[in-house]
Amino acid sequence: KGYLQKHMMTEHEGMVFICQQCEYNTKHSVLLKEHVYVKHRGGKFRCDFCEAIYKSSRVLNKHKITKHNKDV
């Protein structure tokens, strides 16, 4: 679906993505996927500087460099 259509559904029509394993809900499917991975499937790569969690060390390292200006 296009960006505008997704925007209309989530922001103006109340579309919500709901976790099947707990009470978490969000307007964004990508956030639900991340939530499920981290909270219910044991996401392992956590940032030392904020609450971000990633499923690969490569992505975590990129995050540290771009968001925290830290060498890895």
Side-chain angles (χ1 to χ4, degrees), residues 30 34 37-38 44-72:
V30 68
E34 182 178 276
Y37 180 80
V38 170
K44 297 179 182 176
F45 299 94
R46 299 173 189 270
C47 180
D48 300 330
F49 307 105
C50 69
E51 296 182 13
I53 301 172
Y54 296 94
K55 53 185 167 182
S56 76
S57 60
R58 180 186 56 79
V59 177
L60 173 59
N61 290 339
K62 182 178 178 182
H63 162 82
K64 287 181 181 179
I65 292 167
T66 59
K67 299 297 182 185
H68 303 294
N69 296 319
K70 301 292 182 184
D71 290 330
V72 288

Side-chain angles (χ1 to χ4, degrees), residues 5-61:
Q5 188 176 10
K6 285 182 182 179
H7 169 82
M8 294 299 293
M9 289 170 46
T10 58
E11 299 299 326
H12 302 289
E13 297 174 13
M15 183 175 177
V16 177
F17 297 90
I18 301 169
C19 179
Q20 299 296 311
Q21 300 176 43
C22 70
E23 297 179 9
Y24 177 82
N25 64 73
T26 180
K27 294 180 180 180
H28 307 283
S29 63
V30 68
L31 294 179
L32 177 60
K33 289 177 186 177
E34 182 178 276
H35 161 81
V36 169
Y37 180 80
V38 170
K39 298 295 183 182
H40 303 296
R41 295 189 183 157
K44 297 179 182 176
F45 299 94
R46 299 173 189 270
C47 180
D48 300 330
F49 307 105
C50 69
E51 296 182 13
I53 301 172
Y54 296 94
K55 53 185 167 182
S56 76
S57 60
R58 180 186 56 79
V59 177
L60 173 59
N61 290 339

